[in-house]
Each structure stands twice: as structure tokens, then as C-alpha cells.
Amino acid sequence: MIYETNSPEETFRLGETIGQKARPGEIYTLMGDLGVGKTVFTQGVAKGLGITEPISSPTFTIIQEYEDGRLPFYHFDVYRIGDVEEMEEIGYDDYFFGSGICLIEWANLIEEILPENIIQITIEKDLEKGFDYRRIIIEGMDSL
Ligand code: ADP
Ligand code: MG
């Protein structure tokens, strides 16, 4: 599925819809360059899950957990990870194979430990279509 947005609000709302529909145990991966809108999208997902705590990028912590929504939400950012060993250290499998929702930014860096049934989201810019244009490609999900 391919979605196109032309403002941060639209990207937020797409994330929100996904958060509203998310089911226990799902793993979402989020790919895209810096500044493309991964955090905006994630904030939408959190809103859709009913999370009221503010969502920040877990840049220095790998994972941030939110428990006040409809389902537990585990927000990973593995941008600074050196080795997948670090994922073992935080006990990632409890999150990946639990009944909360995982969302992993820069998941390509930990490809070797990703399960098969994941929903892959890629956000891209296309400057020819304007500064605020984003193409959001969602793979591995039936429909919205
Ligand atoms: P990332 O987490 O991918 O590094 P952020 O979500 O922090 O990126 O930032 C995205 C930036 O792009 C924000 O400043 C946001 O306002 C801006 N932006 C402009 N157009 C869009 C759009 N269509 N979708 C998402 N963000 C957009
Ligand atoms: Mg970010």
C-alpha cells in the first residue's frame, strides 16, 4: 500500500489510524532518512493506541516503553546500536514475542533478528513534489 501526505498532520493521522487498528504482538518497522517524519508518524501511532504520555525519540536508550494505552507500546530506535548483542542485553525477545506493539526505527540495522511477520513502513521524500510531500509505503499489512 502506498500513501501520500502533504503535511505533518496528515502523516500523524495515518499513524493514528494504524495505532487504532493495531493488534497484540504486531511488530512495525519504520525506515527513512533523518527528518523524513518517523517521529511524527510514531506520535500518531501512540495517539491511536490511546497513549497520553509525550513520545520522544529514544535516541540514547534503544527502547522506550509506554504502558498507559490500549496495548503496551515499545518504541525502539536502534540508530546508534553497535551490534545486535545490545538487543540481546535488553532482552528484546520479551518485547518482540510479547503481546504489546513494537515499533522499530532503523530496523534495517538489526535485520538478522527480525521475525518474518512484520509490517514494514518506509517514508520517503520526493522534492519534486514539494518540501512537505511524503510517500509512505506499507508492506505486510492487509488493509487499513
Ligand atoms: P525523523 O524522526 O524521521 O528524523 P521527524 O518526525 O522528527 O523526522 O521530523 C520530520 C519533520 O518534517 C518535522 O519537522 C515535520 O514538521 C516535517 N514535515 C513536513 N512535511 C511532513 C509530512 N508530510 N510528514 C511528516 N513530517 C513532515
Ligand atoms: Mg525521529
Side-chain angles (χ1 to χ4, degrees), residues 112-124:
E112 59 209 271
I113 60 165
L114 290 177
E116 267 181 32
N117 282 325
I118 55 176
I119 298 158
Q120 293 181 275
I121 300 168
T122 307
I123 311 181
E124 299 171 346

Side-chain angles (χ1 to χ4, degrees), residues 55-75:
I55 304 289
S56 56
S57 266
T59 312
F60 299 103
T61 49
I62 299 186
I63 180 173
Q64 208 101 58
E65 304 184 34
Y66 301 90
E67 304 281 355
D68 76 324
R70 174 172 71 81
L71 293 167
F73 182 51
Y74 308 120
H75 180 202

Side-chain angles (χ1 to χ4, degrees), residues 8 10-20 28-31 36-58 64 66 73-77 101-106 121 123 136:
E10 267 185 79
T11 297
F12 182 96
R13 279 200 299 274
L14 180 61
E16 187 176 3
T17 303
I18 286 174
Q20 284 164 348
Y28 294 82
T29 62
L30 196 46
M31 247 86 88
V36 84
K38 298 185 296 300
T39 296
V40 169
F41 182 89
T42 303
Q43 286 166 339
V45 173
K47 169 96 185 298
L49 284 166
I51 292 160
T52 53
E53 287 173 65
I55 304 289
S56 56
S57 266
Q64 208 101 58
Y66 301 90
F73 182 51
Y74 308 120
H75 180 202
F76 294 78
D77 187 330
I101 302 296
C102 291
L103 187 151
I104 311 162
E105 298 194 39
W106 300 98
I121 300 168
I123 311 181
I136 302 174

